[in-house]
Amino acid sequence: QQQVKQSPQSLIVQKGGISIINCAYENTAFDYFPWYQQFPGKGPALLIAIRPDVSEKKEGRFTISFNKSAKQFSLHIMDSQPGDSATYFCAASFLSGGYQKVTFGTGTKLQVIP
Amino acid sequence: SQTIHQWPATLVQPVGSPLSLECTVEGTSNPNLYWYRQAAGRGLQLLFYSVGIGQISSEVPQNLSASRPQDRQFILSSKKLLLSDSGFYLCAWRHGSYNEQFFGPGTRLTVL
């Protein structure tokens, strides 16, 4: 019930295209859903996050769509660029016993080709 | 602004040797601190978290331990490394009032 299932495992997109990564969760206690971007050999960087009372959040070319009833959320990268090539992790969290319990997806390796 | 440091950046150690990885956070006080391990091509596994000095909770039983001797310092240790301890170790911090977790640059550990 703590799992966050992420798909696809890898993704190849043409420059200028839309990259879409999907995540699904089971635990309805989750109340915060961040996405992280990780370049090889670096720590993950927080990209964008959403709460379940909002169905969509947009920051620049990055948009999170959230479907509370389906317990699914997705990351859309518009006008994908080669510099977006990285591994993306979705996550879901809630507070438990005074600390934030975060469950990460298994990651999607995105390659944007020119 | 807040910054998080990890030391060393890379480490190669023989099986059975001890380990000490250090994480320090600047620009904030009383952060929640976390140690994660990331195996090659895999997701992040939470190892330890701490809500204050001397307060450590373990998520996964293993031969690793953690300590928090100062408010903004978090240390990951082992008395005897195993081959399976190889991986990318990440420290993260979070301000107690907010949800966002911020990761350090990581330490690449190879156990031979």
Side-chain angles (χ1 to χ4, degrees):
Chain A
Q1 197 178 21
Q2 296 297 334
Q3 277 189 323
V4 175
K5 295 182 180 179
Q6 183 172 348
S7 63
Q9 189 174 357
S10 62
L11 182 62
I12 299 176
V13 173
Q14 291 271 1
K15 179 183 175 181
I18 302 173
S19 304
I20 302 174
I21 304 170
N22 301 299
C23 285
Y25 64 97
E26 290 293 328
N27 190 347
T28 55
F30 289 135
D31 62 4
Y32 177 72
F33 301 86
W35 284 89
Y36 286 86
Q37 178 189 58
Q38 185 178 29
F39 294 104
K42 306 295 184 183
L46 181 63
L47 191 61
I48 186 172
I50 197 168
R51 291 191 171 278
D53 54 347
V54 176
S55 61
E56 185 176 282
K57 183 174 181 179
K58 183 177 181 179
E59 290 185 2
R61 295 184 295 109
F62 300 91
T63 300
I64 300 178
S65 297
F66 189 86
N67 186 329
K68 188 175 181 178
S69 60
K71 291 185 282 188
Q72 296 175 347
F73 59 109
S74 60
L75 176 69
H76 292 64
I77 306 175
M78 312 299 288
D79 187 25
S80 298
Q81 298 297 313
D84 297 330
S85 298
T87 299
Y88 292 81
F89 292 94
C90 65
S93 73
F94 64 96
L95 285 176
S96 173
Y99 97 103
Q100 184 194 44
K101 188 172 179 63
V102 185
T103 301
F104 288 87
T106 51
T108 297
K109 188 172 183 179
L110 170 66
Q111 183 181 0
V112 181
I113 54 177
Chain B
S1 64
Q2 300 84 12
T3 55
I4 179 169
H5 305 278
Q6 287 187 244
W7 184 90
T10 59
L11 191 60
V12 180
Q13 292 284 92
V15 170
S17 63
L19 173 74
S20 182
L21 303 181
E22 185 172 335
C23 170
T24 58
V25 181
E26 295 178 356
T28 188
S29 59
N30 197 30
N32 292 172
L33 296 172
Y34 303 79
W35 277 113
Y36 291 88
R37 176 168 58 203
Q38 185 176 31
R42 302 287 296 277
L44 289 88
Q45 178 188 34
L46 178 63
L47 302 175
F48 300 94
Y49 67 93
S50 172
V51 297
I53 296 174
Q55 301 178 61
I56 309 294
S57 296
S58 173
E59 280 289 303
V60 182
Q62 58 220 322
N63 71 320
L64 298 172
S65 62
S67 63
R68 186 168 176 175
Q70 300 179 42
D71 181 45
R72 289 169 288 178
Q73 185 184 33
F74 205 21
I75 296 174
L76 183 69
S77 304
S78 174
K79 292 182 179 178
K80 287 187 177 182
L81 284 169
L82 306 173
L83 285 174
S84 58
D85 291 325
S86 293
F88 193 45
Y89 287 82
L90 290 156
C91 181
W93 78 273
R94 166 183 164 261
H95 188 286
S97 301
Y98 302 99
N99 282 291
E100 295 82 2
Q101 276 195 26
F102 300 96
F103 286 84
T107 293
R108 173 74 60 193
L109 172 65
T110 303
V111 183
L112 301 176

